[in-house]
Each structure stands twice: as C-alpha cells, then as structure tokens.
Amino acid sequence: MIQGNYDESIDRIANLIVDSSRVVVFTGAGHSTESGISDFRSPGGIWTRYDPDDFTLQKFLSNPESRKKHWQMLGEGFSGREIHPNPAHYAVAELEKLGKLNCVITQNVDNLHQAAGNSDDRVFELHGNMQWAKCLSCGRRYLMEEMRFRVEQGEDMPDCEECNGILKPDAVFFGESLPQDVLEESVSRSSNCDLCIVIGSSLVVYPAALMPRYAIESGAKLVIINLTETPMDTYADIVIHDKAGEVMPKVVEKVKERIAS
Ligand code: APR
C-alpha cells in the first residue's frame, strides 16, 4: 500500500471508530501471530503441519492416536514459553478504556484479549478457551498449566486423575458445536453494531466468519486489517493488508488525538 494511502486509511479508520457508537472487533489467529503463536492457514501455519481431519471431535473421542496428536500439537504450542499479548491486543484493550468498544468477538482460544486488559464480559470466545481441560466422564477441570507440565514430563495422552476419563481441552473442535450462548450473543452484537473491524482472520471458517456479514447486512461499516486478502475485502469500506501489531496502535493513537481535540 502507498504510504499516503496508508496514513489516510489509518486516519479514516480512526474517524470511523470515533464517529461510531457500537464498535465490534472480530479477531482471528492472525491477531496473535505477533505474540509468537502460529496461525492456521499462513505459510508454516498449523494446518500446513498437521492434518485438520485428525482434529475432529469424533476422532479425538474414538481414536487414541488422534488424542496423542492433539496433545503433541498442544505440547508444541506450549513449548514451555510464556505467551504475552502483543501491541494489537493492547490497542484493542485501549479502545475499551476509551469507551469505543462494544465487544471483541474472537476465534482465538489464547485468552490474550483478557490478558491485555479487555473485560471478560466484553470478550466472546466463539471457539472456546484453552485455559482449561475437562474430564468428559466426571467433569473435573484441569488448568492447562498443569496439562502443559504433564505433557512436558512425557505423558503423551494425559487422562483424568480422578476417574481415568478422557481429558478434552475447552476449545471447540471441528465437528463440535460452538457454545450456543456465546454464538447467539455474537450474532446479536454483530447485527447491531455500526462498525465491525476484522483483524487477523482468513474468514473461511463458519459460522464464525458470518459475523462481519451480519454486520454489513445490518448497515454497519466494515474495516479489515489482515496481512492477506479475505473473501470479504470487496465488501469492506477500508482494507489494510499489514500487520495488526503495526496498524492498531497507530489507529488508537489517532482515535485519542481526535477525542482530545
Ligand atoms: N497481522 C494481520 N494479519 C495477520 C497476521 C498479522 N500479524 N498474521 C497473520 N495474519 C493473517 C493471515 O494472512 C491470515 O489471513 O491472519 C489470517 C489468519 O487466518 P487463519 O490462520 O485461517 O486463522 P483464523 O481465521 O483465525 O481461522 C479460523 O479456523 O482452524 C480453525 O478453529 C480454528 O479459530 C480457527 C479458525
């Protein structure tokens, strides 16, 4: 993008935010890549290293080998390093502090929006959250920290210490229905917003990818900040193909200038 157009787009996004009263931010895995977490469909992404067909709920429940692959992938994701919010997360949290955020609807399960300062009741996690694993037999819950430790200690398929039941991360698997209450609230917020800002999503997984569509069908403006093209680019009022961690702090700085002026 030419610099002049780039700066102009940053200004225009900031103006849209200031002039809107119900801003919904919709995020995907691309929002967390600058925190060191792989996304799924970029070159080198998770689905270029693992077969998504191995990660359906049906296979996880019926096939011990699939469960081992799950915990191996999660173990790779753990890799013992701390994961922290990046500048894009802090920028979105700042929008809430400025009174310019109705909610974040996220496909991510990394808890980084909350870690950056967004209130729990303003973050809707369509695909669950990876903070807990739950026993599918007795319901006992385990912090992922504990699961991380057990996997790193060599357990290739951790089970429930209470009843030896299958432990499943709280994230939503392919073939598993989304949490109904979260989905309904996300559809409602998307259908009633006046500005939807998509950040770091390929917009190819449904029903999550319907949210920006509900927004524009209800008359909202659409902004897309994504490294690569998405199927919704042609419907957007503004598109910036650049890093979320670069763009969002600049946008929020302009919002603060506009509010202060
Ligand atoms: N800044 C902006 N965009 C980025 C960045 C970045 N730093 N890094 C990557 N991207 C873009 C990529 O170009 C890609 O288009 O983010 C998008 C990420 O797309 P996916 O990897 O498909 O992730 P996502 O859209 O969240 O996938 C949706 O698919 O596998 C399921 O459940 C999983 O929630 C996930 C869902």
Side-chain angles (χ1 to χ4, degrees):
M1 175 177 272
I2 300 162
Q3 191 59 37
N5 298 350
Y6 182 92
D7 293 339
E8 184 197 331
S9 294
I10 297 281
D11 283 345
R12 288 177 58 215
I13 295 171
N15 290 336
L16 281 178
I17 292 170
V18 172
D19 297 340
S20 300
S21 50
R22 294 178 310 287
V23 179
V24 165
V25 170
F26 178 88
T27 63
H31 198 280
S32 296
T33 52
E34 292 164 81
S35 295
I37 303 175
S38 281
D39 67 9
F40 295 92
R41 295 173 182 84
S42 289
I46 289 171
W47 299 142
T48 65
R49 286 177 280 123
Y50 291 89
D51 178 356
D53 288 344
D54 285 335
F55 292 86
T56 62
L57 179 65
Q58 190 272 333
K59 275 201 179 160
F60 182 85
L61 298 177
S62 61
N63 179 339
E65 281 313 306
S66 169
R67 282 203 289 285
K68 280 183 188 167
K69 279 186 187 168
H70 254 88
W71 289 110
Q72 178 202 339
M73 179 178 88
L74 294 172
E76 180 204 296
F78 293 154
S79 69
R81 70 199 177 334
E82 287 301 306
I83 290 172
H84 302 291
N86 66 55
H89 292 104
Y90 289 115
V92 173
E94 182 80 12
L95 285 182
E96 179 180 337
K97 293 186 185 77
L98 293 168
K100 296 308 300 182
L101 181 78
N102 178 276
C103 69
V104 181
I105 299 171
T106 187
Q107 300 169 95
N108 300 339
V109 296
D110 54 34
N111 209 60
L112 289 179
H113 287 299
Q114 298 91 322
N118 280 119
S119 317
D120 285 346
D121 64 356
R122 289 190 188 250
V123 180
F124 296 101
E125 296 171 309
L126 285 173
H127 295 163
N129 191 306
M130 278 291 248
Q131 302 311 300
W132 298 89
K134 187 168 72 177
C135 174
L136 298 179
S137 301
C138 71
R140 182 173 164 185
R141 291 164 67 82
Y142 296 79
L143 267 175
M144 265 312 179
E145 287 306 311
E146 182 181 342
M147 303 309 295
R148 176 205 301 248
F149 179 74
R150 290 174 63 181
V151 168
E152 286 176 347
Q153 292 303 307
E155 282 191 62
D156 60 7
M157 196 167 57
D159 55 19
C160 178
E161 290 168 339
E162 202 87 25
C163 70
N164 294 322
I166 295 174
L167 294 182
K168 177 187 168 299
D170 263 357
V172 174
F173 286 12
F174 286 124
E176 184 176 6
S177 49
L178 277 60
Q180 196 54 32
D181 54 340
V182 176
L183 179 57
E184 284 171 7
E185 187 62 27
S186 299
V187 171
S188 169
R189 300 288 181 109
S190 301
S191 305
N192 289 287
C193 73
D194 50 9
L195 174 62
C196 177
I197 304 175
V198 173
I199 308 175
S201 180
S202 58
L203 295 176
V204 296
V205 172
Y206 288 84
L210 287 173
M211 301 307 135
R213 197 170 290 279
Y214 291 138
I216 58 173
E217 284 168 0
S218 311
K221 299 280 189 192
L222 176 62
V223 169
I224 296 175
I225 297 163
N226 201 63
L227 268 184
T228 53
E229 269 189 51
T230 78
M232 293 288 288
D233 282 12
T234 48
Y235 300 94
D237 297 270
I238 304 171
V239 177
I240 294 187
H241 290 150
D242 195 358
K243 286 185 167 185
E246 300 293 324
V247 173
M248 282 310 292
K250 293 186 177 82
V251 166
V252 171
E253 274 318 300
K254 288 291 178 188
V255 169
K256 286 156 78 171
E257 283 173 22
R258 262 285 311 268
I259 291 174
S261 63

